[in-house]
Amino acid sequence: MPHTAPHYLAEGPRVAIRHFTLADGPEFTARTRESKDLHRPWLFPPDTEEAYAAYAGRLIEDPAKAGLLVCEKDSGDIVGFININNIVRGGFQCGALGYGVFAHAAGRGLMREGLDLVIGYAFGPLGLHRLEINAQPENTASLALARGAGFRHEGFSPNMIYIDGAWRDHERWALTKEMRASG
């Protein structure tokens, strides 16, 4: 899909991250529809223009959220998304990550590279101290991404988040700025 030159917040060898825009709707929703089998039952990103506009609008306008697209650096194609949700300032300086890869990019290590860029952005320009990931125990790909990025397992919460018509158990993972600095 053709792209204009985007403003990247951070770049790695193969991917870069940037904020969501409303103009990303056609590509994002097409990728979502292509990826339904990969995403279910873990996540349900918007697959229509109307749903995308509402979703992206919240990410763009809400200061307690930072919606970030992971894009192939050379082509600009969207490979996935990593959102920093529930950003709490003050003494907490924390955000919760939610993410998904699109089927055409799955298994290529692009999201791992993108997550590293998001962590750097969160602990750098955003000024956060802690990031959290909550993932369903059966979502092995999501857990592997958290583990591979250096997040530590902090616990298990039964019936934590309402997803797809039921309260789902989640494992809790976290990373602090100090943990990242110490490698």
Side-chain angles (χ1 to χ4, degrees):
M1 296 183 183
H3 295 276
T4 59
H7 171 70
Y8 290 135
L9 301 168
E11 296 182 29
R14 298 179 298 157
V15 302
I17 59 170
R18 65 176 176 83
H19 289 292
F20 276 72
T21 70
L22 293 176
D24 293 311
E27 182 181 3
F28 190 96
T29 57
R31 297 287 188 203
T32 295
R33 289 188 299 275
E34 295 166 0
S35 304
K36 271 194 179 174
D37 290 341
L38 177 66
H39 291 161
R40 302 295 189 259
W42 318 116
L43 69 148
F44 300 82
D47 61 0
T48 67
E49 291 286 330
E50 298 78 22
Y52 176 84
Y55 173 78
R58 288 188 301 272
L59 291 170
I60 293 166
E61 295 170 16
D62 188 343
K65 299 180 186 304
L68 302 166
L69 294 172
V70 179
C71 302
E72 289 194 72
K73 190 168 70 171
D74 295 335
S75 68
D77 290 348
I78 299 170
V79 300
F81 57 95
I82 303 173
N83 299 328
I84 307 172
N85 300 300
N86 306 322
I87 296 172
V88 179
R89 296 296 185 176
F92 202 37
Q93 297 299 333
C94 181
L97 300 182
Y99 47 81
V101 65
F102 292 122
H104 76 284
R108 296 172 43 202
L110 300 175
M111 285 299 285
R112 175 63 188 87
E113 187 179 323
L115 179 56
D116 189 57
L117 295 173
V118 169
I119 293 167
Y121 178 69
F123 290 157
L126 280 185
L128 297 180
H129 173 260
R130 176 182 170 91
L131 292 172
E132 299 176 351
I133 292 174
N134 298 300
Q136 293 179 56
E138 299 82 13
N139 190 343
T140 56
S142 187
L143 295 174
L145 187 61
R147 190 177 298 110
F151 283 70
R152 77 174 161 233
H153 185 253
E154 292 194 332
F156 176 82
S157 295
N159 300 321
M160 182 180 183
I161 303 174
Y162 193 78
I163 299 172
D164 195 27
W167 289 98
R168 309 289 179 183
D169 299 343
H170 280 73
E171 290 189 21
R172 295 186 326 277
W173 295 74
L175 180 70
T176 64
K177 190 173 186 176
E178 292 81 8
M179 288 169 60
R180 173 138 164 128
S182 68

